[in-house]
Structures are given as structure tokens and as C-alpha cells.
């Protein structure tokens, strides 16, 4: 891979977008690599949590690559959009938990890829924004949809229409970032969170992710029915027996198999 770094250790995959000279902007090659890498990771049962970050201390992802888009035809733009849709869809729906470690600029496609992750942790210097309208385009990697779902329609419209860049603190205040931490602690903080997630039944976590994702896109009654079905499914697992037996035996160590 030319534009990605991948380290897998103790159930955690640390995936770094590595184009620091372009502030980790997403070009077609990076999107294709990301898609292929996520396709492998989603089938890797040894990986329970994926942490996505950007290379360097300045930028997470400064958006789609403007130098590639400037002369692109509508057909090429659509192709790029579809590629991103596939890769971001994998992040959103893969069985593993995905955490965006937002280490700097998360603009345009960068803000959008962070929103395709389950959880966003921002460093204090992070900046979020959707500057596309200032480039004469609109968010094309899911921004009009995921931002409105995360922070509400009014705030999403303001951010997209004004192209304002907001601080990590403001992102936290409006619910775009789950936490804000000093930059030097960012990856450690995300790994510690991954550790807490991995102590729990992995299949249960995957089912909960599926219930939340699908439920958010449907009516309450259908979401509750889905939850009841997945809840029932979790009763078929050895992990349910183990988790409950450990509680009753007052045993802290649990042996989930997932
Ligand atoms: N694309 C390509 N190159 C970029 C990008 C980008 N998005 N962002 C930064 N770079 C490059 C710069 O051109 C510069 O390169 P060089 O050194 O060769 O001149 C280098 O990175 C460093 O950038 P700056 O010198 O500009 O650094 P500053 O610290 O002055 O500014 C900013 C940092 C504020 C992040 C600034 O670089 C900036 O505004 N970048 C663009 C941000 C942006 O507009 N992002 C949105 C892009 S559009 C998008 O994401 C659409 C998604 C949907 C697409 C759907 C397609 C179908």
C-alpha cells in the first residue's frame, strides 16, 4: 500500500492514512487502498477494533484530493464518490468497532470519514468542517446525511452552508466528537477505549452495532423489533453463558470467544 500504514497488535488494527505532504487528502488511489484494506480487516477475526488516524501532527484528513478533482469529469467524480461510499460503508458496517482518532484537520471527506466510524476521539488541535460549498461542490462522501444524523439538521446545515471550521471543543459540545484529549495521548486513549470494548462479548458488541446502525435509519417500532430479534440471537451464544456465569460466580476473568 502506497498511502496507508497498518499495524495489528493485540486485537487492535491501527490504520494510518499516510500522505502527510497533502495533509492526508484522499485521492482515488488512497480510497481504493482503504477499501481493499478494510475488506481484509472485516474478515479478520483476530481484529476486534480498528483505529483510523492520519499521519503527522497536523492533519487527520484534509478532505478529498482537490488537485485530482479539479479537472475531473462528472463521471470521474461519481466514480470517486462511489468508491468512497464503498470504503466508508465498510467502516460503518464492519463487525469490528471503528474509532476515528482525529489528530488534526478533519475537513470535507476527512470529517466525513470520521463520521463513518463508530466513535470519534479528537486531539485538542483538531478542526472539523465541511468546506465543499466554498469549492463549488457539496459534501459527496456522506456529509449531508451523516452530519445531520449526528448533530441535527440545523447545525449540519449551518456547518455545510457557512463552511465554518470548528474546534475540537466545539465538535465535542455539539456531539460530533465523543472526547477531546491532548494530541500526545490520542492513540493511547483510543487503545485504552478499545481495550475496554474488547473485554466484552465481541459478538454482542457486533450485534449492538448492527442494532444501533439499522435502528437509526428506521422507525422506532422496527428498530425495537430488530433489537428484540438480535437480543434473542445473543442468547444462542457461548458468550452469553460465559458472561452470566462469570457474574454469578463473582468471577472478574471472562473467556469470551465471539
Ligand atoms: N487536497 C489536495 N491537497 C491538499 C488538500 C486537499 N484537500 N489539503 C491540503 N492539501 C495540500 C496543499 O495543497 C499543500 O500542498 P503544497 O505544499 O504542495 O502546496 C499541503 O497540503 C499543505 O497545505 P497548506 O499549505 O494549505 O496548509 P495550511 O496549514 O496553510 O492549511 C488547510 C491547512 C486549512 C487544511 C488547507 O490546506 C485547506 O484548506 N485544505 C483544503 C481543505 C478542503 O477544502 N477540504 C475539502 C476538500 S473537498 C472534499 O473533501 C469533498 C469530499 C467529497 C468528494 C466527492 C467526490 C466525488
Amino acid at each position: 500500500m502506497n498511502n496507508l500504514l497498518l499495524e495489528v497488535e493485540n486485537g487492535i488494527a491501527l490504520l494510518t492514512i499516510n500522505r502527510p505532504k497533502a495533509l492526508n487528502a484522499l485521492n482515488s488511489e488512497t480510497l481504493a487502498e482503504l477499501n481493499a484494506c478494510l475488506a481484509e480487516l472485516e474478515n479478520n477475526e483476530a481484529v476486534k477494533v480498528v483505529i483510523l488516524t492520519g499521519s503527522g501532527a497536523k492533519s487527520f484528513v484534509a478532505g478529498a484530493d482537490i488537485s485530482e478533482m479539479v479537472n475531473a469529469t462528472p463521471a470521474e467524480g461519481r466514480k470517486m464518490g462511489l468508491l468512497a461510499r464503498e470504503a466508508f460503508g465498510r467502516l460503518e458496517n464492519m463487525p469490528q468497532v471503528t474509532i476515528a482518532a482525529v489528530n488534526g484537520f478533519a475537513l470535507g471527506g476527512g470529517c466525513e470519514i470520521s463520521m463513518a466510524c463508530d466513535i470519534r476521539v479528537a486531539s485538542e488541535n483538531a478542526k472539523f468542517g465541511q468546506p465543499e460549498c466554498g469549492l463549488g461542490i457539496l459534501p459527496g462522501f456522506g456529509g449531508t446525511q451523516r452530519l445531520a444524523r449526528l448533530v441535527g439538521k440545523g447545525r449540519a446545515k449551518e456547518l455545510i452552508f457557512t463552511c465554518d471550521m470548528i474546534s475540537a471543543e466545539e465538535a465535542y459540545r455539539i456531539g460530533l466528537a465523543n472526547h477531546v484529549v491532548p494530541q500526545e495521548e490520542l492513540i493511547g486513549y483510543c487503545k485504552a477505549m478499545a481495550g475496554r470494548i474488547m473485554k466484552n462479548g465481541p459478538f454482542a458488541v457486533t450485534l449492538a452495532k448492527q442494532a444501533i446502525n439499522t435502528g437509526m435509519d428506521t422507525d422506532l417500532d422496527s428498530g425495537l423489533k430488530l433489537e428484540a430479534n438480535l437480543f434473542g440471537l445473543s442468547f444462542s451464544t457461548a458468550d452469553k453463558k460465559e458472561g452470566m456465569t462469570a457474574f454469578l460466580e463473582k468471577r472478574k476473568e471472562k473467556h469470551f470467544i465471539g
Side-chain angles (χ1 to χ4, degrees):
M1 295 183 293
N2 291 327
N3 308 299
L4 296 181
L5 304 171
L6 177 66
E7 285 168 37
V8 179
E9 199 181 17
N10 301 327
I12 302 171
L14 178 63
L15 183 54
T16 305
I17 297 174
N18 185 35
R19 296 187 72 218
K21 284 191 184 142
L23 302 187
N24 306 317
L26 299 170
N27 60 3
S28 297
E29 185 183 51
T30 309
L31 285 171
E33 287 182 4
L34 197 60
N35 193 31
C37 183
L38 292 170
E40 282 196 15
L41 285 176
E42 70 189 2
N43 289 312
N44 185 341
E45 288 182 14
V47 172
K48 304 296 181 200
V49 177
V50 176
I51 299 173
L52 179 72
T53 194
S55 183
K58 183 171 172 181
S59 182
F60 172 65
V61 171
D65 192 310
I66 300 171
S67 62
E68 185 180 349
M69 287 189 296
V70 65
N71 292 317
T73 62
E76 286 163 344
R78 181 170 176 273
K79 196 170 162 200
M80 207 175 162
L82 289 175
L83 192 54
R85 182 165 171 259
E86 199 176 331
F88 290 20
R90 286 190 195 285
L91 271 176
E92 190 159 54
N93 295 312
M94 65 200 300
Q96 295 91 344
V97 174
T98 54
I99 303 175
V102 181
N103 57 308
F105 290 114
L107 302 175
C111 185
E112 290 169 305
I113 199 171
S114 82
M115 292 190 290
C117 294
D118 296 315
I119 293 163
R120 281 148 297 288
V121 181
S123 59
E124 286 166 344
N125 64 315
K127 295 254 187 296
F128 292 79
Q130 296 287 162
E132 286 92 339
C133 288
L135 296 166
I137 56 172
L138 68 152
F141 291 169
T144 60
Q145 305 305 306
R146 291 194 180 99
L147 187 59
R149 280 166 170 76
L150 265 175
V151 304
K153 205 158 75 167
R155 286 202 169 103
K157 284 181 174 171
E158 182 180 335
L159 278 169
I160 290 170
F161 299 165
T162 61
C163 298
D164 285 348
M165 233 191 257
I166 59 169
S167 66
E169 272 308 325
E170 177 65 0
Y172 172 73
R173 195 185 69 80
I174 65 174
L176 182 52
N178 293 47
H179 301 278
V180 181
V181 300
Q183 174 145 74
E184 59 279 11
E185 292 170 22
L186 180 64
I187 298 300
Y189 189 95
C190 292
K191 284 187 173 172
M193 184 189 282
R196 297 200 300 283
I197 292 168
M198 290 190 298
K199 280 191 181 151
N200 302 317
F203 191 53
V205 170
T206 296
L207 292 183
K209 171 169 171 168
Q210 194 184 326
I212 295 167
N213 279 358
T214 308
M216 289 301 287
D217 289 333
T218 188
D219 62 283
L220 180 62
D221 194 46
S222 306
L224 290 170
K225 277 188 193 127
L226 173 70
E227 185 190 69
N229 287 333
L230 295 178
F231 179 70
L233 181 60
S234 71
F235 276 53
S236 69
T237 64
D239 283 354
K240 172 249 186 188
K241 189 89 183 152
E242 169 63 9
M244 294 192 180
T245 306
F247 174 81
L248 294 172
E249 290 174 353
K250 303 190 188 308
R251 169 162 56 83
K252 283 238 161 67
E253 256 331 283
K254 294 174 207 161
H255 306 284
F256 291 123
I257 47 177

